[in-house]
Amino acid sequence: MFKWFGLVSYVPYTKVEGFADHLREGRIMGSCCQGCGAVTFPPRSDCSACLDEHFEFIEYSGRGTLHTYTRIEAAPTGFERLTPYVVGMVDLEEGGRAVAWIGETVQEEDIEIGMDLQLVPRMSEEEERIRVYYSLEIPGTRWVKTAGSA
Amino acid sequence: MARRVGVIGIGHGVFGRRSDATVQELAFEAFREAILDSGLQPGDVDASVIGAVPEYHKQRSLAGVVQEYLGLLPRPTWLTEAACASGSAAIRSGWLAIRAGVHDVVAVIGCQKMTELGTAEILALMGRVGEVQWESGFGTTFPAYYAMFARRHMHEFGTTTDQLAAVAVKNHHYGALNPYALFRKEITVEKARLSDRVATPFHVYDCCANADGAACVILASEERAREHSASPVWLSGMGCATASMSVLRRASLVGLPSAVAAAAEAYDMAGVGAGDIDVAEVHDCFTIAEIMAYEDLGFCPKGKGGPFAAEGRTYIGGDVPVNVDGGLKAKGHPIGATGVSMTYEIVKQLRGAAEDRQVPDADIGLTHNVGGIGQYCFVQILSRD
Amino acid sequence: MELNLEGRVALVTGGRRGIGAAIALALAREGCDVAIADQRLDAEAAEVVRAIEETGRRAHAVEVDVRSFPSAEACVTEVIGVLGRLDILVCNAGVNRDAVIWRMSETQWDDVIAVNLKGYFSFNRAAARIFKDQRSGKIVNIASINGLRGKHGQTNYSASKGGEIALSKALARELGKFNANVNVVAPGMVMTEMARALAPEFLEQAVDESVLGRLASPEDCANVVVFLCSDRARHITGEVIKVDGGQYI
C-alpha cells in the first residue's frame, strides 16, 4: 500500500501504488510508458510526452551518484526524534533522481558530491506499522529480495 | 496595442507576529494607505485580487472575506495562489484584467497570517513543500531544498558560507531602516555564523522568517493613471514562468530556470537589459536564493553571485542596489504579501520617496518573486516615461 | 498434506527427550535438518541425533545453559555455522519447582523464571535477529495450559508459562512485517518419562479433566508444532493452540 512509503506519508492513493509493495519486497521500481517507452524515476502512470495512461514497472539497480545533500537539524512534524539526519539526492544510473536518507554505512565526513552510492530498500524496524523506504549506502551493500506474498 | 498599466497607489502594514489583527484587518491597513495614496475613493475600484496562501488560515475562502471587510462588495474578487509568489500572481491577474480592457482600476492586496496555526501544524506544512509523494516521507523541509542548492552552488562555483552571510548582513542593515520590517537590528557575519543550524550549510540567519502582514497596490489603466500623476509608474515588463516543483526533475540546481525565463520575458517586454536596472527587489527566502537571483537576472555572471554580494556590490552606491528595504530576510515573509511588498518598495524608489533608503536616480526597478522552490517565478519591471 | 519443510533448518531446545525429542524427530521426518540444544549431551541426546540422521537428514547437538543469555546467542551462531542457516526455532526447555507460595523459596522462583521465561527470551531474541534480516522464519514456543489458567502449587511455573505466551504475542507483532511467525503450543498433561515419575493421582486428575479421557502423547504436541512451522500455517501468528484433550476449555 502506498501509504507505507516514507517515514510519514501524505499520499495514501496513487496510480503507481505498487511501488511500495515492490519496495517492501526489496525491488526499486521506475515506470516505463507502454506507449512511447519513456522510462521515468520516480515512476508515474501518465506519460506527459505521449499522453498514454498505461505503464509497466521496471526494476532499477539503485546505483547512483550524489548530486547534493544537506544535514537537517530543524525537522518537520514526525521527524523530530530523528534529527539530525542527512538527506541526499542522487542521479540514478538508469536516469532520474531520488531523494533519500544517507544511511549508516556512509560516514558523514566521507560525504562528497559526486560519490557513488547505492539505494537500498529498507523497512522500519523500530515500529509496528509497516514503513518502507530506501537509504543511500556504500556501493556493494546487499539486501534481501523476497517473492510476492499476496 | 495593449493598454499600459500603472501603479497609482501603494500601501504597506507592519510585518511581524500580528497577534493584534485578523488577516482582513491586516489587509485593511494596507488598502487604506494605498487608496488614500491614490487619491481615489473605494467606490472607484472596479475589482480586487487577493494574493494569499489559504492553507495557513483558519478562515476559508479569503478573497471574499477580505473584499467585504475593505468595503468593496459587490465588485468582483478572487484569490490567486502561487505559493510565495501569490502576491505577484495577484498583480499579474489585475494587470491582465486591465490590459484586456475589462477593468480600469484594480486593487491588489497581498495578505497573509502565518501565526494562526500551532507550531506542529506549521512544521507539518514545512515538510510538504516539495513533491509530497516522493520526498516528504524522508523529512525534507523548505530550508533543506535551498540548502541542497547552496551545497551544489558551493561545489560548482566555490561560493562560501561567509558570502551567504554577507547577504543577510546587508538585508538586516536595511531592515533596520524600514519601519515595516519584522527585524530591526543589524547583524554581523560572526553572529550569522554562530546562530543555530537549520539544514547544513544554513544557519538561522540564512533563512527568512514566517510573518503576518499585508501590502497593497492600486493598478490603473493608462488613462486613469495619467489622471493621477504627470509621471505614473508603469508595469512596463511582466514575465512569468514555471519550472519543475521537484528537485528530482530540475536539470540544474544552481539557479532557477523559472527566474531566467521570467526575467527574459520581462526585459524583452520592457525593452531593457540587466544593466539598466537601478534598484531591485529579489526573493531572498534564503541567502543562496539572493545570490542565485543576481545570476539568474543577469546582474553578474553565472557563479559569481557570492563575490558580488561579499564585495558590497548590491548596497546603495554599488552596481545594483538589491533589497534595500530589508528583503524577506529582515522584513519577514508573509508569503501572500511579499510580491506586493516588493512592488510597493520599487514604486516608492521610483517616486523618490524612500528617504534614508533612497537609491539616487532610480528610474527603472525590478521585482523578482519566486513561489516555493522555484516552481513559479514572476519578474516585473517598473519604470516611468 | 504437503508441508514443504524440505531443506529447512530447525533448532529445538530441550530436545534430548520428551516433547522436545518428539518435535525434533517429527521435523526431521518432514525433511528438516535439526539441531537440539540441552543442558546435558548424554545418551538420550545421542539417541535423538541418531534417530534424526536415520531419516536421512543432518543433525547437530549443542550443550547449552539456557539460563545464560550469551550461551543462547552462541548456540544459535553455532547451529548456523554447522548447518548453514536457521529457519525454525522451537523453544521447549522447561522446568518446574512446585510449592505453595508460602513455602516457595526464592531459588525455586528464580530457577523457573530463569530457565522457562528468560531462556525463551534469550533464544527468541537470537533467532529474531536472524529472521528479521532474512525476511523469513518460524518460532514456536512450547508453553502450557497452566500459563492460560492458574495451577495450585505453580505460582512460579504459571507465571513463567503465562509470560512465555505474552512474550510470544509481543514478538509476533515485532516480527510480522518481516515475514516471520511466532506461535505457542500449550499442552496439557503429556505422557513423558517426566510425567511417569509423578504420583499416580496427578495423572489420574489430568485424565479426569480431559474430556477425551486421555493424556497427550509427545507426538500429539509435535504434530501441531510441525504444522505451525510449515507454509500451510503462514497466516497464523500470535496464536496459542492448546493440545490438552479438552482439559481446559
Side-chain angles (χ1 to χ4, degrees):
Chain A
M1 299 175 64
F2 199 81
K3 70 176 187 180
W4 293 336
F5 180 61
L7 190 71
V8 166
S9 170
Y10 293 107
V11 179
Y13 312 114
T14 166
K15 291 181 185 178
V16 295
E17 184 169 66
F19 175 86
D21 300 311
H22 282 291
L23 193 61
R24 186 181 172 198
E25 290 166 9
R27 285 182 295 279
I28 299 166
M29 305 303 249
S31 59
C32 178
C33 171
Q34 288 188 343
C36 66
V39 173
T40 319
F41 189 92
R44 53 179 287 159
S45 154
D46 310 302
C47 186
S48 56
C50 74
L51 295 183
D52 202 294
E53 293 170 299
H54 303 100
F55 77 101
E56 260 173 355
F57 280 117
I58 181 169
E59 190 170 354
Y60 268 57
S61 66
R63 287 188 295 269
T65 52
L66 187 65
H67 192 94
T68 183
Y69 65 99
T70 180
R71 181 171 79 240
I72 295 177
E73 311 251 351
T77 304
F79 294 84
E80 304 85 345
R81 58 193 166 79
L82 294 177
T83 52
Y85 49 93
V86 183
V87 161
M89 194 167 79
V90 285
D91 297 313
L92 296 171
E93 196 174 84
E94 298 94 331
R97 284 199 183 130
V99 158
W101 288 305
I102 303 243
E104 286 171 2
T105 60
V106 180
Q107 300 307 312
E108 197 171 339
E109 53 271 17
D110 296 335
I111 298 176
E112 219 178 87
I113 289 178
M115 69 189 294
D116 289 329
L117 289 170
Q118 171 72 53
L119 265 186
V120 175
R122 297 275 185 219
M123 195 148 66
S124 172
E125 295 182 0
E126 298 309 315
E127 53 185 302
E128 191 177 338
R129 297 180 306 158
I130 297 177
R131 302 242 56 85
V132 297
Y133 58 100
Y134 31 63
S135 61
L136 290 164
E137 310 288 351
I138 55 176
T141 303
R142 303 173 63 127
W143 69 93
V144 171
K145 295 190 189 186
T146 56
S149 46
Chain B
M1 173 96 189
R3 304 165 97 197
R4 283 212 288 180
V5 177
V7 182
I8 61 169
I10 56 172
H12 206 291
V14 173
F15 284 4
R17 189 176 186 88
R18 296 296 305 270
S19 333
D20 60 309
T22 63
V23 66
Q24 58 267 43
E25 289 166 346
L26 293 178
F28 190 93
E29 286 174 1
F31 173 72
R32 182 176 180 280
E33 195 175 282
I35 203 79
L36 290 174
D37 179 53
S38 72
L40 297 180
Q41 297 296 316
D44 298 320
V45 173
D46 297 328
S48 72
V49 186
I50 312 301
V53 175
E55 53 262 28
Y56 283 84
H57 301 92
K58 300 290 190 184
Q59 173 65 60
R60 293 186 61 175
S61 202
L62 287 164
V65 167
V66 168
Q67 162 87 322
E68 180 174 2
Y69 196 73
L70 270 41
L72 296 176
L73 298 179
R75 306 308 306 166
T77 189
W78 59 93
L79 186 82
T80 63
E81 183 275 329
C84 326
S86 297
S88 294
I91 293 175
R92 186 175 176 86
S93 204
W95 173 75
L96 291 170
I98 295 174
R99 264 166 85 85
V102 177
H103 296 307
D104 288 329
V105 178
V106 176
V108 177
I109 301 101
C111 53
Q112 190 77 41
K113 283 216 78 175
M114 301 184 82
T115 58
E116 282 181 3
L117 300 185
T119 312
E121 286 172 286
I122 290 182
L123 288 176
L125 282 174
M126 277 312 215
R128 286 156 47 191
V129 169
E131 184 153 54
V132 157
Q133 188 168 6
W134 302 109
E135 301 160 25
S136 297
F138 294 93
T140 52
T141 60
F142 189 37
Y145 289 116
Y146 272 94
M148 288 200 274
F149 296 169
R151 273 249 184 266
R152 190 73 205 182
H153 204 273
M154 290 160 82
H155 172 79
E156 289 190 32
F157 305 119
T159 304
T160 67
T161 50
D162 279 358
Q163 287 165 350
L164 297 180
V167 171
V169 168
K170 168 177 72 74
N171 293 351
H172 279 284
H173 168 73
Y174 288 115
L177 302 171
N178 182 352
Y180 295 130
L182 163 58
F183 296 117
R184 304 290 314 278
K185 289 209 208 128
E186 302 210 20
I187 63 164
T188 59
V189 170
E190 191 61 25
K191 186 170 174 141
R193 263 196 224 130
L194 293 174
S195 60
D196 285 343
R197 285 198 271 214
V198 173
T200 59
F202 288 163
H203 296 265
V204 163
Y205 280 103
D206 288 297
C207 312
C208 68
N210 288 344
D212 305 324
C216 176
V217 294
I218 311 287
L219 305 180
S221 64
E222 182 159 5
E223 310 83 67
R224 300 299 294 273
R226 291 206 182 282
E227 286 168 28
H228 170 261
S229 156
S231 178
V233 175
W234 304 113
L235 293 176
S236 47
M238 298 285 275
C240 177
T242 55
S244 173
M245 63 82 61
S246 172
V247 291
L248 302 179
R249 292 184 295 276
R250 295 268 183 89
S252 164
L253 299 183
V254 294
L256 298 183
S258 59
V260 173
E265 187 181 359
Y267 284 140
D268 184 58
M269 193 184 291
V272 303
D276 300 314
I277 304 300
D278 299 317
V279 58
E281 286 283 295
V282 310
H283 199 84
D284 62 320
C285 47
F286 299 95
T287 46
I288 189 65
E290 178 160 334
I291 283 173
M292 296 197 305
Y294 299 158
E295 299 169 9
D296 291 339
L297 296 169
F299 294 161
C300 73
K302 185 81 180 180
K304 301 291 188 209
F308 203 68
E311 288 161 17
R313 294 176 184 277
T314 48
Y315 278 79
I316 296 174
D319 295 27
V320 53
V322 175
N323 288 349
V324 300
D325 63 347
L328 277 61
K329 268 271 59 252
K331 284 188 298 185
H333 182 32
I335 47 186
T338 287
V340 184
S341 171
M342 290 177 171
T343 308
Y344 169 95
E345 173 65 13
I346 296 301
V347 171
K348 205 152 184 165
Q349 289 284 345
L350 296 190
R351 286 180 182 178
E355 298 174 353
D356 49 357
R357 296 179 299 97
Q358 182 64 50
V359 172
D361 304 315
D363 291 323
I364 303 177
L366 177 149
T367 70
H368 155 281
N369 188 203
V370 174
I373 52 170
Q375 56 262 45
Y376 315 93
C377 185
F378 295 77
V379 173
Q380 301 177 150
I381 293 176
L382 295 91
S383 62
R384 309 178 95 141
D385 285 332
Chain C
M1 184 188 278
E2 187 59 59
L3 296 177
N4 290 323
L5 284 168
E6 185 80 25
R8 302 272 171 89
V9 176
L11 167 61
V12 181
T13 72
R16 77 184 157 102
R17 60 182 187 172
I19 300 169
I23 292 169
L25 210 44
L27 287 169
R29 287 198 192 106
E30 292 299 328
C32 294
D33 295 332
V34 183
I36 57 170
D38 215 304
Q39 59 182 315
R40 209 161 40 248
L41 295 188
D42 55 9
E44 285 182 298
E47 175 54 32
V48 174
V49 168
R50 191 202 59 78
I52 292 168
E53 286 170 345
E54 209 161 83
T55 69
R57 307 306 313 182
R58 295 180 298 161
H60 184 62
V62 186
E63 190 171 300
V64 69
D65 178 356
V66 301
R67 297 170 303 180
S68 156
F69 183 83
S71 183
E73 183 88 29
C75 174
V76 169
T77 304
E78 184 179 319
V79 169
I80 292 173
V82 171
L83 295 178
R85 55 180 293 111
L86 186 68
D87 301 296
I88 293 165
L89 169 70
V90 180
C91 279
N92 167 73
V95 297
N96 65 318
R97 304 272 184 272
D98 295 1
V100 286
I101 197 170
W102 47 89
R103 274 195 278 277
M104 188 182 285
S105 70
E106 192 177 342
T107 313
Q108 283 173 304
W109 171 270
D110 286 343
D111 282 352
V112 168
I113 299 298
V115 172
N116 297 5
L117 189 53
K118 184 157 185 191
Y120 278 32
F121 160 72
S122 302
F123 275 90
N124 275 224
R125 181 181 189 272
R129 294 171 137 194
I130 308 296
F131 294 167
K132 163 180 78 74
D133 289 339
Q134 76 190 14
R135 302 286 176 96
S136 70
K138 304 277 190 185
I139 296 178
V140 180
N141 291 319
I142 311 301
S144 161
I145 55 171
N146 293 345
L148 293 168
R149 67 178 185 181
K151 188 83 159 82
H152 186 277
Q154 293 197 327
T155 47
N156 51 0
Y157 187 80
S158 287
S160 74
K161 290 296 167 181
E164 287 167 5
I165 291 169
L167 181 160
S168 304
K169 290 181 176 180
L171 186 56
R173 283 198 175 273
E174 291 179 8
L175 282 179
K177 64 190 189 189
F178 297 105
N179 210 32
N181 304 41
V182 184
N183 290 296
V184 172
V185 167
M189 180 71 76
V190 183
M191 185 53 91
T192 61
E193 286 303 315
M194 239 168 75
R196 267 183 257 277
L198 294 173
E201 54 262 33
F202 287 117
L203 298 179
E204 197 180 313
Q205 188 182 73
V207 171
D208 283 342
E209 268 186 338
S210 159
V211 302
L212 297 178
R214 60 170 186 258
L215 303 182
S217 68
E219 286 68 34
D220 285 326
C221 302
N223 289 339
V224 179
V225 173
V226 165
F227 169 70
L228 287 172
C229 291
S230 76
D231 282 342
R232 288 300 167 113
R234 70 176 192 170
H235 209 64
I236 302 176
T237 193
E239 182 54 73
V240 180
I241 300 181
K242 296 183 283 103
V243 183
D244 70 344
Q247 275 182 260
Y248 174 58
I249 298 179

